[in-house]
Amino acid sequence: MRKNMRLGVCYYPEHWEESLWEEDLLRMRDYGIDTIRIGEFAWSLFEPTEGVFDFSMFDRFLALTEKTGMQVIMGTPTATPPIWLTERYPEVLNATADGTLYRHGLRRHYNYNSKKYQELSTRIVTRMGEHFGHHPMVIGWQIDNEINCETPEFHSEADHAAFREYMKDKYETLENLNEKMGGNVWSQRYTEWDQVTLRRPTVNGHYNPHLLLEEKRFFSESAIWFCRMQCDILRPLIGDAFLTTNGIFDNLDYTRLMQGLDFLCYDSYPNFALAMDRSGQEDPLFLDRKWSKNLSVVRALCAPFGIMEQQGGANGWTGRMEAPMPRPGQLRLWTFQSIAHGADFISFFRWRTAPYGTEIYWHGLLDYDNYPGNRRMQELAEISRDMHKLPVEPGQYLARIAVLRNYDNEWDAALDKWHERVEKVSERGLFEAAQLLHEPMDYLYMNESVTPEQLKKYDLVIWPHATILEDRYVDVLRSYMETGGQVMFGARTGYKDAFGRCPMRPMGFGAAELAGIRIEDYTFIGPYDEPGMAEMDGTSIEMPVFNDVLLASEGTQVEARYSSNYYKGKPAIVSRTCGQGRIWYVGSAFSRKTAMCLLKKLGFGEPYQAYLTLPEECELAVRGNLCFVLNYGRNAAGITVHEEMQDVLLCKQVVGQQQIAPFDVRVYALPETGK
Amino acid sequence: MRKNMRLGVCYYPEHWEESLWEEDLLRMRDYGIDTIRIGEFAWSLFEPTEGVFDFSMFDRFLALTEKTGMQVIMGTPTATPPIWLTERYPEVLNATADGTLYRHGLRRHYNYNSKKYQELSTRIVTRMGEHFGHHPMVIGWQIDNEINCETPEFHSEADHAAFREYMKDKYETLENLNEKMGGNVWSQRYTEWDQVTLRRPTVNGHYNPHLLLEEKRFFSESAIWFCRMQCDILRPLIGDAFLTTNGIFDNLDYTRLMQGLDFLCYDSYPNFALAMDRSGQEDPLFLDRKWSKNLSVVRALCAPFGIMEQQGGANGWTGRMEAPMPRPGQLRLWTFQSIAHGADFISFFRWRTAPYGTEIYWHGLLDYDNYPGNRRMQELAEISRDMHKLPVEPGQYLARIAVLRNYDNEWDAALDKWHERVEKVSERGLFEAAQLLHEPMDYLYMNESVTPEQLKKYDLVIWPHATILEDRYVDVLRSYMETGGQVMFGARTGYKDAFGRCPMRPMGFGAAELAGIRIEDYTFIGPYDEPGMAEMDGTSIEMPVFNDVLLASEGTQVEARYSSNYYKGKPAIVSRTCGQGRIWYVGSAFSRKTAMCLLKKLGFGEPYQAYLTLPEECELAVRGNLCFVLNYGRNAAGITVHEEMQDVLLCKQVVGQQQIAPFDVRVYALPETGK
Amino acid sequence: MRKNMRLGVCYYPEHWEESLWEEDLLRMRDYGIDTIRIGEFAWSLFEPTEGVFDFSMFDRFLALTEKTGMQVIMGTPTATPPIWLTERYPEVLNATADGTLYRHGLRRHYNYNSKKYQELSTRIVTRMGEHFGHHPMVIGWQIDNEINCETPEFHSEADHAAFREYMKDKYETLENLNEKMGGNVWSQRYTEWDQVTLRRPTVNGHYNPHLLLEEKRFFSESAIWFCRMQCDILRPLIGDAFLTTNGIFDNLDYTRLMQGLDFLCYDSYPNFALAMDRSGQEDPLFLDRKWSKNLSVVRALCAPFGIMEQQGGANGWTGRMEAPMPRPGQLRLWTFQSIAHGADFISFFRWRTAPYGTEIYWHGLLDYDNYPGNRRMQELAEISRDMHKLPVEPGQYLARIAVLRNYDNEWDAALDKWHERVEKVSERGLFEAAQLLHEPMDYLYMNESVTPEQLKKYDLVIWPHATILEDRYVDVLRSYMETGGQVMFGARTGYKDAFGRCPMRPMGFGAAELAGIRIEDYTFIGPYDEPGMAEMDGTSIEMPVFNDVLLASEGTQVEARYSSNYYKGKPAIVSRTCGQGRIWYVGSAFSRKTAMCLLKKLGFGEPYQAYLTLPEECELAVRGNLCFVLNYGRNAAGITVHEEMQDVLLCKQVVGQQQIAPFDVRVYALPETGK
């Protein structure tokens, strides 16, 4: 991130009369906007017909940015190939598993593996790099737009062919391939490389699960390759301008994608949580607030990060996604949510609501009518003033707890209903527990580069359901524990290898060994069973979704025993010392209640209680010495400041009872780093 | 309509032993049936193989109609091409958006734009016109059958090509096309006319909304063209026989379709409302009664009109649509529902239940077994007697209120979820309010031919959600108001142009100007918001679904202010004088309660209370001086006649308390035209 | 069944290290397993490339079976063609109705009618027969695996062509075909045989129902032909080894399939009933217990029968079907459920849980880790001990009641929503009533080979909804009644012919004549109607779903009259003497309550009450003189033994109060055959 980049907006010169441009830029500057993103959907203007390039419209626009002092992030336009391209070269189109091509009319209808698309993308990106690469106002580039959005699956002929090469590179021999893919089940052995394809239609839609896992890895590698191809083109053409991309989408390993980029941007739309197709059954405590979970994922991938698209109005398409207009204060609240979680650049989407196209209800800051004084613009002015009260680099997000994730398990859970069911409950339960306990929590992506040292800043590391558990990761965790760390596993840990196979080995793999347990029996909790419950320290604890029934070795501490169903009395939660640290095994998923109970037992919760007492409605986040308090509630929240501190936004010292209005925010400067 | 055409039935000589024909015809005559419809699905008999024609079966049948004095409406058989045709010329078949052809096996599997289908349709219609056109018993022709039924969407190659021509004719240049279709969004500019197609498969199924609006217009034009092609063939061949068609289906502008026809017929099946896939959660007040809304639509398009298919038994297909048998009295009730709303000809579907095919549960008057005395035939006898007590032309349906519709907005609402949501609630709310207040209500289709004079017969005109609001229509409404009319608009009025784009103009377009308001803010009411409410005249009024937050100019009367959500206290409903009349702007959709409240405030409700007091269960409709009272309730209804009147069906003068049995009907001759 | 075949397991040598084989076989023997099934998915090992055969792996394995004395059932591998086959000859693949081929990646993706598949299947089966046919341990063969599982529908080009031949053979002339298929409806007449195909895509997915009925018959004939082709190959090659196949699936007439086989096996997975996608709204009395209905169907087709796959653990696929682990005792309970209903051979699926593939959650007896002492293996040991306490051939299942089924009506109900709705309620209602009354019940398949003599062993025969009712079946039933039998029909009896057409004949066909009734009126009971009720013997009886309103002739006894809706007071249930017997007509579907009420009225219920009193939670079944009592409840059940009897499993004489633990089983030797 750059220090002169704090507030931005997305703008589409091509949607508006040229006569509006300068006025728009001047108004942006008035509101404190220093950077805009442009160009990411303009291929059909840059290259109106094949091989004919015309940058004149954007040249004229860039001249005005120079005049008005507006910095520009230029998008490469590969997310929306023009119709001359897709009609002439239909091999560039993505397809369904049954081969139906996705045609022109929306966006992201191309595939990454077609040679023709790579060739034409190379050319347009090269020409843009050459043309705009040294423009004084172009400070950075966004690669493509929301890679893997709309669909993260690809089944064109080019993808089948590229997948074959990917598999050949990885497995080398058919014998090896057949072994790893379980070819002896259902007569699925390959005898020629030509037979290897991505998923195609099958009876009732199911498929070899090991191949589906490779399919996801391949989709990810294809996207990474396509992004890196553009980075490699641009880097020599753009001087010291940065490279980024936006969004978090499926089937994409961002820890690898990041390697070619300078930093990551996220597109944050907390009102997805309020889309009208929802039931009204969500917990009101976590409507827009659950976006903090997504922001924590972004932070795990890149800290600090930027927000390329911060929600600027109601969102919706003509054919779906109706949501209410953000309430007064929410745009500002959501902006601070992004900052609190690690964003140093906030760019709103978009300046003015689209006048046509599928996204006429994806509202910008200004309405269709360009009326200058609307409620959202007033809020922007306030946000702009606030941001200048904050330091440019507020410091690192502080957390004592990390929840581990990795892509192998994320993708396995997306393919495997048994895995998915525990994963979904725990992902939500752990996040909500940490929020309600005001215990800031990080995510950490486990891959081959993670070291025990990286874990040491955490007092507790939780890996909820590492179904695929490689020994090398257990080694890292053991090293961390040996020097005093605590690691907690949940049910369904360690019974699959990296191919999604279940080897002949006691379940729990290395984790069970360290915890000194045997997983004697296990079961889903069906709709006709008693709820999963255990007794811990004399009180009841929920053991939801799935129960591993444990057998504890000597030296293993039984922390809780099941109190329902046929395995009543059997160990449910255990712990065991591991060097100077401790390992925990919890035989179920983590509901909110389960997680709160366990975190409290381990001494977590309210780490800043010496300074602040907060109600459940408020989130707490700390960056460096700045303490962010965000009120997502629809009522004013009362908080208590125990020690006099600077209220950074109100610019005064405060102590004692404070009222935070609905959707309002406080930033306190902690006297010293908390915890 | 013709005076000698009052009671009819649909008959299929080709389904029955020839020996049954004469007996069937004689029995029909006994029951007062004067007209039958035949032939509309018999192409494979008329032209058993390509170019070979055989009308002998129908000739023999027509001879018997002459003998028995039965008038005939002949259907053209283009709704069901024979299999020799579709197999030899698959280009005539309709297709899904992904190109899968709809094959033989149901009906309506053809497209309107294939040259081959037009050629073969022209030939069969010509040959039928030549052969039957001057038969003395053939008094009229039905074009095709239920145009656009089964599917109103077409995506065959012929349709793509015809759409291209349609767009070329309309937009002339690609530059103009790109501008109107918002080609600058998502790189969607066309560079060759060849690239223009109807919707094809896209990622996640969404599409350019402006093109989808044109798609609907094109579907409508194609159907109209195909119907008119047949009219043009037949007119010179059939003497003074009339031309009609049947049904109301989607993607079809009947105001234009009507131009080639003599009158319109409707197929009325009120028990669709009771199909067993429904939840049982419908308001029992409006089960079959809601069919009156459909009949009001037909009346708006053609008054008086005919019913070509009046429900004659339980309806159902083998694969769907199970419904109970009509209860005793319901066939008669529904017949009078049709008459009360403007039908002068009632033809039942069908004489005898189908012995085979997909529609064996689409019951006729007679059961499979041909048993003469069943309950439905007894009811037919009663209906026949009743109809002869009514005048042949009962006069015009009388209403003080008109609700405006037009196809642009109807189609936009079908494509745009934000529009659809308000539209659906208001369509139902306004209808139900008018019904419960016994305030007869017309629909009126706004198109370029509507004049202020046409509106003058109404005291109030409501245009619930004219999202697409062209200035020319505002001009017509202003002229109407200037001479004393009242116009009421609801939320989401006027923010789209005729292409579905949102121009840079204050929302509400001309309506907001006339009402003296600015739409300051607007929002869906989400599942976590308070219900939309306002306070009007000291009491609460529902403001459901969507709220426009208004800012009222001087001279604008604030009639209600919001009483919930963050815009509490802001104007919700306003009115303003406009010449001698008044304009109203209501910032929400119209629920039943909202509409009742507003109609009462404006002095509507119970216009015939000097003559009659009715309970909610009964509908009231007036044609000329005949007052129809229809009891849809499952209990007897008590009504009060305040002034002595003729009971037309009971043939006596009545006054005071009257009981109407469940599903029974009364027709009173008003002493003078009411209101 | 053979006497030396009692306990088995399914085993896949190809999934495991060869070093495990002998140990696995020895452990099996230790647990009393005498027979294993192998080979049914191993085509790609038997014929690794086209025309190259390699049986060496299975030869080595068979040598070990000889060494360990383990009998083998060999499966033919045609359910899973290798990929070299399907890629080289895509014409062997099955397809959706729109022609999309089902590709390699699951199983059962082939069609029965491709000449190439028939050729290659013939070759592999011949080679296997030649190679393994006289192996001393190979005592039997399983043809294919679960014929018609995954999908029972076929729409490849080979199927269309074969269907055309099937229709030509059956109907001979197009005139005849058009008449039977109702070609005069919607212009559906064929003019060339080439036009005849299976269902292809149509507008809104519906189709000619008569053709759909033939489609099902054709699917069944194709499967039978394919199975018989294999039988004909093997029979001369395998000495006295038996031929069987496994499972009950749709679109397959097992009464005809059985003709080429020695006996039928079933795959019994009672925990399908507990799969987690269910709502938790099932009646807890009938979760796994409802599998007894399926087992009764198998018994109707083949008595005694085998269980080829008896559930051995939790079931599930990676992509669906999550179910809890069987509770302690359930494996044993389900084994006895199979035996009680007529199984003499029980083979568990599978020895050890799959280490890879789609079915890693389709648990075997052993877990992935091969841990010898798990809970399920302990249960297997107990089962093994129990089985040796039972006689090898426990005798015939005894029932006084038979419910008739036939494939015409089963398939008609699958196609016809009106039929399906009554059928589903009655199938369930009758089964549950018989269960709760502890009144053992048989199914009996009506086809042309059933004689009145076969019915004589039953005191009552119920044909719930014989919508298609052929006169020849009425003749059989009349003969049965004339010598004292009782027959009961429900609503919707007899209004379709064998083509699914509704001829011009009073409804109820021959049944109504015998019962002396006319079906005056009929109706679904819609969601806004009163519940269907009647009064019988002074109390109320449910008349659910559909009501036939009856008119009774003289001599017909009106047993109940409707007490709700507009036909209140009309006859609802009647009976009439027929020779020495009696016919009953019930004008509705049979809910559980309706069925219990009627069975009691006819004197059924608790036929063994002289010996035993049982609570509702327990099922009772009797084979020969063995009385099986199965407790499906989650609580202990108290039963009373009225007369001293031998408890076969506990090996002692018992009388008086007995407690049966949850999921426990008792087998009593009745002093004499009950009833």
Side-chain angles (χ1 to χ4, degrees), chain B residues 450-465:
Chain B
V450 174
T451 61
E453 285 62 42
Q454 281 174 270
L455 301 176
K456 279 193 185 152
K457 64 173 164 171
Y458 300 109
D459 297 337
L460 171 66
V461 153
I462 304 171
W463 203 348
H465 308 290

Side-chain angles (χ1 to χ4, degrees), chain C residues 287-349:
Chain C
L287 297 175
D288 41 352
R289 185 179 183 178
K290 69 168 159 250
W291 234 243
S292 293
K293 183 155 68 67
N294 301 11
L295 292 162
S296 300
V297 167
V298 184
R299 185 176 64 247
L301 296 162
C302 177
F305 55 89
I307 301 291
M308 191 62 87
E309 302 183 8
Q310 178 73 45
Q311 180 162 3
N315 47 356
W317 279 14
T318 45
R320 61 169 182 176
M321 285 195 291
E322 306 145 280
M325 196 64 82
R327 290 170 160 252
Q330 280 191 317
L331 293 192
R332 180 170 169 268
L333 173 71
W334 299 337
T335 301
F336 273 94
Q337 182 183 28
S338 293
I339 295 169
H341 276 279
D344 285 354
F345 169 61
I346 304 289
S347 163
F348 286 92
F349 187 87

